[in-house]
């Protein structure tokens, strides 16, 4: 099959695999079976005459040819979507910016930035979605997002190793904090000593992939007791408020903590810094993307 005969379905499936990182996740997002996704990817690779994806144990990675196909597939699929909107009488998405964000950014910074944009740029439409840093980076590479707010911990490596490198800037850098029940003995002071964290019960994130032991203070010299596991940060904080354990939080979440929770710094160990990054692709952004980026920078300064 010649590549000019590749179907739009195959292009959509290929982009979904690139975005989600696995055939299984792509199939779930599209409502397809995994075998159907595999067939579509196999067909587009036959048409290309080369391997587009490296199959690895932890997921897929685009080859150089795969990055080329993805770049052009994104343009084609965006044009098809614009055509469909115009034919149906819907407004074109020229003033739309697709923004991805990690949960800690969605509590304070994102609402502030979007509220200000609504005042200064009422014609600008921002469509956003939450995700983990790896998921958002893949979506950015796949062309499904224009900008992403990412988290970064020491040693502050690049969000990925793909080429070309992403354009990344640091919006904030703050110390990791500890969420403590207001009734807990550790809540009596203005900070917590790291030595007092031994023997505590923890509320952690799912113990898989990039979320392993998220919520437990880093570098503890003991096997932590995980009392509860939750992915949602607000659920974690409400469990803390109920006196069921401790958890770590970004300093940015302090204003959004529920009643019954104290957010405190930890002293006596290495400084645990966390960065909030703004990332985009290495290409000239549109004026709309520039305006959203500027609003996010201003919001970051305001909440710092």
């Amino acid at each position: 099959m010649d590549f000019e005969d590749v179907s739009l379905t195959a292009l959509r499936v290929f982009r979904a695999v690139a975005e989600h990182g696995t055939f299984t996740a792509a199939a779930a997002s599209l409502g397809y079976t995994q075998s159907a996704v595999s067939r579509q990817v196999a067909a587009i690779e036959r048409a290309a005459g080369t391997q587009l994806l490296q199959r690895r144990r932890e997921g897929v990675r685009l080859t150089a040819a795969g990055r080329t196909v993805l770049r052009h597939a994104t343009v084609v699929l965006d044009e098809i979507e614009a055509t469909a909107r115009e034919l149906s009488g819907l407004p074109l998405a020229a003033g739309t910016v697709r923004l991805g964000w990690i949960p800690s950014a969605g509590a304070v910074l994102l609402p502030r930035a979007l509220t200000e944009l609504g005042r200064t740029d009422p014609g600008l439409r921002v469509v956003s979605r939450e995700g983990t840093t790896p998921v958002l980076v893949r979506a950015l590479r796949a062309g499904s997002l224009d900008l992403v707010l990412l988290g970064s911990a020491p040693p502050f490596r690049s969000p990925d190793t793909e080429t070309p490198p992403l354009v990344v800037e640091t919006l904030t850098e703050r110390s990791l904090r500890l969420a403590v029940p207001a009734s807990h003995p550790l809540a009596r002071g203005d900070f917590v000593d790291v030595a007092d964290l031994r023997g505590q019960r923890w509320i952690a994130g799912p113990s898989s992939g990039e979320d392993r032991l998220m919520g437990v203070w880093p570098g503890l010299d003991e096997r932590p007791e995980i009392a509860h596991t939750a992915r949602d940060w607000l659920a974690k904080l409400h469990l803390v408020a109920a006196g069921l354990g401790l958890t770590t939080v970004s300093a940015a979440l302090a204003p959004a903590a529920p009643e019954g929770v104290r957010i405190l710094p930890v002293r006596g160990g290495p400084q645990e810094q966390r960065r909030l990054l703004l990332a985009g692709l290495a290409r000239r952004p549109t004026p709309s993307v520039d305006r959203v980026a500027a609003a996010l920078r201003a919001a970051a300064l305001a909440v710092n």
Side-chain angles (χ1 to χ4, degrees):
M1 180 175 70
D2 191 88
F3 200 82
E4 292 180 354
D5 297 324
V6 167
S7 70
L8 290 175
T9 298
L11 293 179
R12 289 192 182 95
V13 168
F14 179 70
R15 183 166 74 170
V17 173
E19 175 176 345
H20 292 280
T22 67
F23 283 58
T24 302
S29 72
L30 295 168
Y32 293 174
T33 63
Q34 187 170 337
S35 60
V37 169
S38 297
R39 287 194 298 272
Q40 292 292 340
V41 171
I44 200 170
E45 286 188 320
R46 283 196 302 272
T50 188
Q51 187 179 19
L52 303 180
L53 297 169
Q54 295 176 351
R55 280 78 166 171
R56 304 178 299 173
R57 187 174 183 178
E58 64 272 23
V60 301
R61 182 174 181 176
L62 291 167
T63 64
R67 289 193 293 271
T68 297
V69 170
L70 179 61
R71 186 173 70 251
H72 291 289
T74 297
V75 173
V76 170
L77 294 172
D78 286 349
E79 286 297 321
I80 291 295
E81 181 182 349
T83 301
R85 290 182 67 86
E86 188 172 356
L87 288 173
S88 64
L90 294 173
L92 296 180
T96 297
V97 176
R98 300 163 300 176
L99 175 66
W101 43 276
I102 58 172
S104 60
V108 179
L109 185 144
L110 184 65
R112 178 184 287 267
L114 295 184
T115 299
E116 182 63 15
L117 275 171
R119 187 183 67 82
T120 60
D121 291 272
L124 181 60
R125 179 170 176 254
V126 178
V127 178
S128 78
R129 74 191 214 213
E130 177 192 330
T132 63
T133 287
V135 168
L136 295 176
V137 168
R138 287 195 299 266
L140 181 64
R141 291 280 187 193
S144 300
L145 294 172
D146 302 302
L147 285 172
V148 290
L149 291 166
L150 309 174
S152 182
F156 300 123
R157 297 187 181 94
S158 174
D160 70 2
T161 58
E162 301 289 338
T163 55
L166 299 176
V167 178
V168 180
E169 63 178 289
T170 299
L171 294 184
T172 64
E173 182 171 346
R174 296 178 173 180
S175 297
L176 188 65
R177 299 294 178 92
L178 189 70
V180 182
S183 58
H184 197 285
L186 292 179
R188 294 170 184 165
D190 294 327
F191 64 90
V192 175
D193 192 287
V194 71
D196 293 331
L197 297 182
R198 288 183 57 84
Q200 299 293 338
R201 304 173 77 223
W202 296 92
I203 300 164
S207 56
S208 62
E210 72 274 4
D211 290 324
R212 185 170 299 278
L213 292 185
M214 195 174 189
V216 176
W217 191 260
L220 291 183
D221 58 351
E222 64 175 356
R223 184 182 182 87
E225 179 188 352
I226 308 300
H228 303 280
T229 300
R231 184 179 299 277
D232 178 68
W233 67 265
L234 187 57
K236 289 182 185 178
L237 290 180
H238 277 287
L239 289 170
V240 172
L244 300 175
L246 315 180
T247 196
T248 59
V249 294
S250 163
L253 292 179
E259 186 178 351
V261 177
R262 289 203 67 196
I263 307 296
L264 298 171
V266 175
R267 297 185 185 178
Q271 286 294 302
E272 288 293 336
Q273 300 296 109
R274 296 294 184 270
R275 290 177 181 172
L276 179 66
L277 309 176
L278 178 62
L281 295 173
R283 64 188 182 202
R284 183 170 181 81
T286 66
S288 296
V289 170
D290 275 337
R291 294 201 298 276
V292 172
L296 292 169
R297 294 186 193 101
L301 288 173
V303 301
N304 234 343

